[in-house]
């Protein structure tokens, strides 16, 4: 009798758990996950730090109701990357990922609410999740766990990307490791004057060359231009700081914040450059084209020097009317 009762309870528990999972899954029917390369370049086998594969992840609410999901502060408890060979063999997860998920620890998260049509985006390094053992062609996809990894039976799978991993350069050629898409040019800042820094930054924006656009920008200083963000930035962990910086760059690229700094001028003219050994400013007149007129603005870019490299760390904008 006891065995029969235990069996009935077990069946009801399993059945109830499946119904609950199915019910929760329906809440995410209107959600979609889309991935793309954040700053696509040439990829090689190697660790996550020396040759990262940054992937931009967007979660969108396609339904008519509010979408709510949990997002862990440590994204390893919210997402997975799957990578497959041409023979559809799945690559192994990293030791770091496995160790984190098998260690008893508290997982901190926040609940994200998206209204109809809204998106939430962030950037992750694929190599933090998957070991890339050798050069080849791989297919990658992302799995989002909207109720965190512990409830991984509830998941949303993204689109697939194709990734070409090339043979590692030899030690002799390591000084010319390419990091710019479609080129073999090493992208690094040069010791140029403040006016040239501003000029190159504006031209990079006009051409949507984002790697070059951020090359002379102190992103850490820019994100702290508002007191509320500055206070939060100083309180969070190093990992969360890195995430905030990547999200800030993503938001700039999508023109969600600081619209003036990413606005694209039709033309510009450097009016004045003033600087000493460590700090300075560059005043620029910029014209923005609209269907029936041009808007004219004065930008003052604040710059400072670190180890011989000038960087933009702040700016002001004044409207000068229309023409």
């Amino acid at each position: 009798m006891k065995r029969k009762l235990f069996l009935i309870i077990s069946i009801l528990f399993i059945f109830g758990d499946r119904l609950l999972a199915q019910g929760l899954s329906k809440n995410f029917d209107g959600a979609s996950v889309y991935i793309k390369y954040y700053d696509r370049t040439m990829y090689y086998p190697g660790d996550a730090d020396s040759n990262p594969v940054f992937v931009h992840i967007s979660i969108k609410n396609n339904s008519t109701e509010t979408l709510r999901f949990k997002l862990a502060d440590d994204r390893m408890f919210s997402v997975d990357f799957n990578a497959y060979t041409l023979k559809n063999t799945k690559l192994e997860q990293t030791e770091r990922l496995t160790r984190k998920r098998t260690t008893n620890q508290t997982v901190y998260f926040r609940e994200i609410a998206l209204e109809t049509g809204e998106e939430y985006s962030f950037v992750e390094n694929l190599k933090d999740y998957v070991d890339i053992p050798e050069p080849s062609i791989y297919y990658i996809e992302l799995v989002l766990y909207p109720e965190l990894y512990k409830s991984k039976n509830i998941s949303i799978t993204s689109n697939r990307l194709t990734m070409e991993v090339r043979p590692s350069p030899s030690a002799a050629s390591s000084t010319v490791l390419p990091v710019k898409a479609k080129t073999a040019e090493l992208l690094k800042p040069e010791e140029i004057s403040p006016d040239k820094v501003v000029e190159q930054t504006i031209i990079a924006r006009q051409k949507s060359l984002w790697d070059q656009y951020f090359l002379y920008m102190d992103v850490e200083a820019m994100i702290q231009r508002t007191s509320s963000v500055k206070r939060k930035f100083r309180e969070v962990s190093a990992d969360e700081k890195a995430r905030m910086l990547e999200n800030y760059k993503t938001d700039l690229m999508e023109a969600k914040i600081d619209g003036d700094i990413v606005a694209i001028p039709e033309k510009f003219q450097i009016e004045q450059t003033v600087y000493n050994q460590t700090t300075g400013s560059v005043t620029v007149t910029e014209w923005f084209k609209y269907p029936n007129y041009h808007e004219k603005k004065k930008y003052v870019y604040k710059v400072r020097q670190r180890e011989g490299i000038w960087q933009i760390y702040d700016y002001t904008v004044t409207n000068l009317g229309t023409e």
Side-chain angles (χ1 to χ4, degrees):
M1 185 65 180
K2 289 182 179 180
R3 289 184 61 187
K4 185 179 291 186
L5 182 61
F6 177 76
L7 181 61
I8 293 172
I9 293 173
S10 299
I11 293 172
L12 288 174
F13 179 79
I14 295 171
F15 184 67
D17 188 57
R18 288 181 178 176
L19 284 178
L20 177 62
Q22 291 173 1
L24 287 171
S25 295
K26 291 179 181 179
N27 294 334
F28 303 107
D29 286 346
S32 63
V33 180
Y34 178 79
I35 60 174
K36 62 182 180 180
Y37 292 107
Y38 176 63
D39 52 356
R40 187 162 190 166
T41 181
M42 296 182 185
Y43 301 123
Y44 304 92
D47 60 42
D49 296 324
S50 64
N51 185 239
V53 180
F54 289 120
V55 177
H56 183 271
I57 303 157
S58 294
I59 305 163
K60 185 175 182 179
N61 181 10
N62 301 305
S63 71
T64 57
E65 299 183 358
T66 302
L67 170 68
R68 301 182 187 276
F69 62 94
K70 297 172 183 176
L71 190 66
D73 292 347
D74 185 339
R75 303 289 195 257
M76 286 187 172
F77 293 97
S78 280
V79 300
D80 254 332
F81 279 99
N82 294 327
Y84 301 90
T85 67
L86 293 174
K87 295 181 179 180
N88 207 35
T89 301
K90 188 176 179 180
L91 298 186
E92 297 290 332
Q93 293 181 326
T94 62
E95 182 182 346
R96 180 188 174 200
L97 177 64
T98 303
R99 186 170 60 250
K100 272 196 175 185
R101 289 179 174 172
T102 54
T103 301
N104 188 21
Q105 60 180 292
T106 302
V107 177
Y108 296 97
F109 67 90
R110 54 179 170 150
E111 185 175 80
I112 306 294
L114 298 180
E115 299 302 327
T116 302
E118 288 186 340
E119 294 184 19
Y120 184 88
S121 301
F122 53 95
V123 176
E124 286 293 294
N125 185 355
L126 168 70
K127 286 189 177 180
D128 285 334
Y129 295 78
V130 179
D131 280 324
I132 310 295
E134 58 187 7
S136 185
I137 301 293
Y138 299 98
Y139 301 109
I140 65 172
E141 64 185 15
L142 179 127
V143 180
L144 171 72
Y145 304 118
E147 292 293 322
L148 304 183
Y149 178 74
K150 64 180 180 180
S151 302
K152 63 179 182 177
N153 54 324
I154 305 169
S155 62
I156 307 169
T157 304
S158 74
N159 57 302
R160 277 195 172 190
L161 298 178
T162 302
M163 179 176 65
E164 180 183 1
V165 178
R166 300 188 177 191
S168 297
S170 65
S173 63
S174 62
T175 56
V176 293
L177 180 67
V179 295
K180 289 174 59 179
K182 300 180 183 179
T183 77
E185 179 185 355
L186 181 63
L187 187 64
K188 63 179 181 179
E190 299 176 352
E191 295 184 12
I192 56 178
S193 61
D195 56 322
K196 287 297 182 182
V197 163
V198 171
E199 180 185 51
Q200 289 195 22
T201 301
I202 296 174
I203 292 173
R205 181 64 192 99
Q206 288 176 322
K207 297 181 178 180
S208 295
L209 301 173
W210 289 108
D211 286 348
Q212 296 180 30
Y213 176 75
F214 289 118
L215 191 61
Y216 294 101
M217 185 177 293
D218 186 345
V219 179
E220 188 167 323
M222 293 288 287
I223 198 176
Q224 298 182 73
R225 293 177 69 245
T226 59
S227 56
S228 58
V229 176
K230 182 177 182 178
R231 185 168 54 252
K232 179 182 178 182
F233 187 83
R234 292 185 173 183
E235 292 174 350
V236 299
S237 65
D239 285 347
E240 186 59 24
K241 278 186 173 69
R243 295 186 195 282
M244 287 180 67
L245 292 174
E246 291 301 329
N247 288 339
Y248 176 77
K249 290 168 68 174
T250 300
D251 288 343
L252 280 182
M253 292 168 65
E254 295 176 355
K256 292 182 178 179
I257 57 174
D258 292 351
D260 284 321
I261 194 66
V262 291
I264 305 175
E266 182 185 45
K267 61 180 181 178
F268 67 94
Q269 180 176 317
I270 296 177
E271 306 288 358
Q272 184 181 44
T273 303
V274 180
Y275 63 98
N276 55 33
Q277 289 187 342
T278 56
T279 61
S281 65
V282 181
T283 303
V284 185
T285 301
E286 301 184 26
W287 288 263
F288 299 86
K289 185 178 180 180
Y290 292 90
N292 300 318
Y293 64 95
H294 281 84
E295 189 173 35
K296 187 177 178 182
K297 296 184 179 182
K298 180 178 77 172
Y299 280 72
V300 179
Y301 297 91
K302 298 180 180 180
V303 296
R304 60 189 175 199
Q305 187 178 194
R306 290 180 174 176
E307 298 179 353
I309 303 299
W310 287 96
Q311 291 182 309
I312 299 169
Y313 72 93
D314 200 357
Y315 71 98
T316 61
V317 183
T318 304
N319 291 321
L320 300 178
T322 59
E323 296 180 347

